[in-house]
Amino acid sequence: MICFVYRSPFEGILGKHVRWLPDATVLDWFRRGWTEAGADPGAWVKAELGADVYGLDSIFEEAAERSLPSPGSMSELRKLLKKHLYVEGALTVDDHSVRVSTDDDEVPLAYFLLDQSLVAAEPSRLAYALHEQWPLPASAGDDDGEPVTTFAASTLGDVDWDTQGVVVRLRGVRLPGLPAWLRDAVPSGWPDELTLLRAAVGPHDTDLEPALDRINRWGAWNDQYLDIAGLDGAHDKAHRIVREVMAQVAGHEKVPGPLGRRRPADGRIAVADHLAQGAFHMDDTFGYQQMFVFDDVWAAHHHYLAKSLTRWFKGKWDLL
C-alpha cells in the first residue's frame, strides 16, 4: 500500500486529509493513473484520493493530450513531473515518494505520496501527518524526565511555509502546573497565540479547558490577525481584557473571525492531565486553527506522535 497526505486548511478540523491506496509503490499509482485517468483526470484524482488536490490532475491531462509514455522508473517519473505537473512551489521525487508544495493563490498547500516502506522507516517525521482522528490519544506514562511543556499551533493571517505554525517549549513546567505558571509568566518574544492563551487563563483556573474555551470564542481581530493589544502586560489586566471581549460576544452563535464570522459551536476542545488540544472554527471555507499543548509525560508515551507533531507545526513544508 501507499499513503497520500494532503495538507490543506480546506480538509477538516486537523487541516489535512489522509488516504491509503492499494498500489504497491508510488510509481505504480502514477502508472495506474496513466491508464485510468485519461477520460476525466480531475474526477479520477478526486475519486482516488477523496479530495480536490490542487494541480495534481495536470500530469494526467498532459499525459493524455501529449500521449506521454508511462514512466518505467522513479527517475522517469521525476522527469515527467518536473516538466508537466502544475506546481506553484517545490517538487521532490525520490525512490519512495513524491512531495509537492504549491498554493491556490490564497493559501499554501502541500501533498505527499509515500511508499509504505518509507512510512515505516520515518515514524518520528510522519506519525502525526498520518494520524486521521480527532482528538489525539491522551494516555500518558511516567513523569521521570525533565519537566517541559510544548505549545504548538497553526498560525493565521497572510502565511507562507515559514510561518504556517509556531512551536514553543516551556521548560520547568508540566501541564497540571501550566495555568499557574502562565499567570506568573511575562511574555517575551512569544507568538500571539501563546500570549492569548496566557491571558485567557482565569485567576482560579486549574487546567486549560476554560482558557481554550475562551480562545474558541475569541472575537477580537485586526483584519486576519489576532488582536492581542494589552495582553502582554500584567496578567490581571490581560485577563480583564479577555473578559471584556468575551462579554461582547456572549450568547452569539457566530462571532467575528479573521475572514468574517466564525462558529464556536463547531470548535473542539479536549483536555487531559498531560495533553490539551483545541480546533477552533475560523471559516466554512478556510477551516480551523489547531492548538496542542503537551508535556514531557505525554511525549514520552507518544514519542513518534509528539516529535512528528512538533515537526508539522515548525513551518517547513517538507516533512522529510
Side-chain angles (χ1 to χ4, degrees):
M1 297 181 71
I2 70 169
C3 187
F4 169 75
V5 180
Y6 190 26
R7 182 169 185 170
S8 164
F10 311 125
E11 299 297 332
I13 64 174
L14 291 177
K16 58 189 174 75
H17 171 75
V18 180
R19 173 69 66 92
W20 288 91
L21 300 162
D23 307 88
T25 67
V26 171
L27 179 62
D28 287 342
W29 183 81
F30 277 97
R31 287 173 57 83
R32 185 159 61 85
W34 241 258
T35 301
E36 299 178 1
D40 191 341
W44 185 83
V45 168
K46 184 174 182 179
E48 278 286 303
L49 303 180
D52 285 314
V53 184
Y54 189 77
L56 180 53
D57 59 343
S58 62
I59 183 61
F60 301 116
E61 290 177 354
E62 291 287 290
E65 291 177 5
R66 298 172 181 266
S67 299
L68 298 175
S70 177
S73 67
M74 288 299 281
S75 177
E76 291 179 10
L77 177 63
R78 181 186 302 111
K79 293 177 182 178
L80 288 164
L81 293 178
K82 285 185 176 294
K83 187 173 183 178
H84 299 291
L85 179 67
Y86 181 77
V87 174
E88 292 279 0
L91 166 68
T92 299
V93 181
D94 60 24
D95 288 345
H96 300 286
S97 70
V98 170
R99 314 192 300 273
V100 175
S101 72
T102 188
D103 68 72
D104 65 352
D105 298 327
E106 294 184 344
V107 295
L109 307 163
Y111 58 87
F112 309 84
L113 288 138
L114 310 165
D115 282 357
Q116 193 167 24
S117 61
L118 180 61
V119 170
E122 297 288 357
S124 64
R125 295 172 182 257
L126 297 173
Y128 176 75
L130 272 57
H131 188 86
E132 301 180 59
Q133 301 298 321
W134 167 271
L136 301 186
S139 55
D142 298 324
D143 56 351
D144 55 359
E146 175 195 358
V148 59
T149 290
T150 299
F151 172 90
S154 57
T155 51
L156 304 174
D158 297 324
V159 297
D160 57 34
W161 278 117
D162 291 327
T163 55
Q164 273 287 289
V166 294
V167 176
V168 179
R169 289 170 66 83
L170 307 172
R171 297 193 178 278
V173 63
R174 293 193 172 105
L175 209 64
L178 189 60
W181 188 95
L182 287 170
R183 285 190 289 265
D184 292 338
V186 178
S188 177
W190 288 9
D192 290 353
E193 291 77 10
L194 181 55
T195 299
L196 175 58
L197 177 64
R198 169 192 176 259
V201 171
H204 305 294
D205 290 350
T206 58
D207 63 41
L208 291 184
E209 186 167 359
L212 292 178
D213 180 66
R214 294 175 187 117
I215 292 175
N216 186 43
R217 294 183 288 120
W218 188 250
W221 302 82
N222 291 321
D223 296 323
Q224 295 183 44
Y225 298 89
L226 289 166
D227 182 354
I228 61 164
L231 299 189
D232 56 353
H235 182 265
D236 58 343
K237 295 180 180 178
H239 189 65
R240 184 168 66 246
I241 295 172
V242 171
R243 293 200 307 270
E244 291 170 355
V245 172
M246 294 297 98
Q248 294 171 10
V249 298
H252 294 190
E253 292 185 5
K254 296 183 179 181
V255 301
L259 299 165
R261 311 293 287 181
R262 50 188 293 257
R263 291 191 302 275
D266 288 347
R268 300 287 187 273
I269 294 170
V271 176
D273 288 344
H274 298 281
L275 169 67
Q277 47 195 319
F280 313 124
H281 175 264
M282 293 291 124
D283 180 79
D284 285 345
T285 299
F286 292 95
Y288 292 76
Q289 180 185 30
Q290 298 84 35
M291 185 177 292
F292 297 94
V293 190
F294 59 88
D295 62 24
D296 58 293
V297 178
W298 182 83
H301 196 64
H302 300 278
H303 176 71
Y304 294 138
L305 193 55
K307 287 183 70 68
S308 59
L309 186 156
T310 301
R311 188 175 187 86
W312 180 273
F313 288 103
K314 274 190 174 178
K316 301 298 183 183
W317 78 268
D318 192 345
L319 303 174
L320 296 170

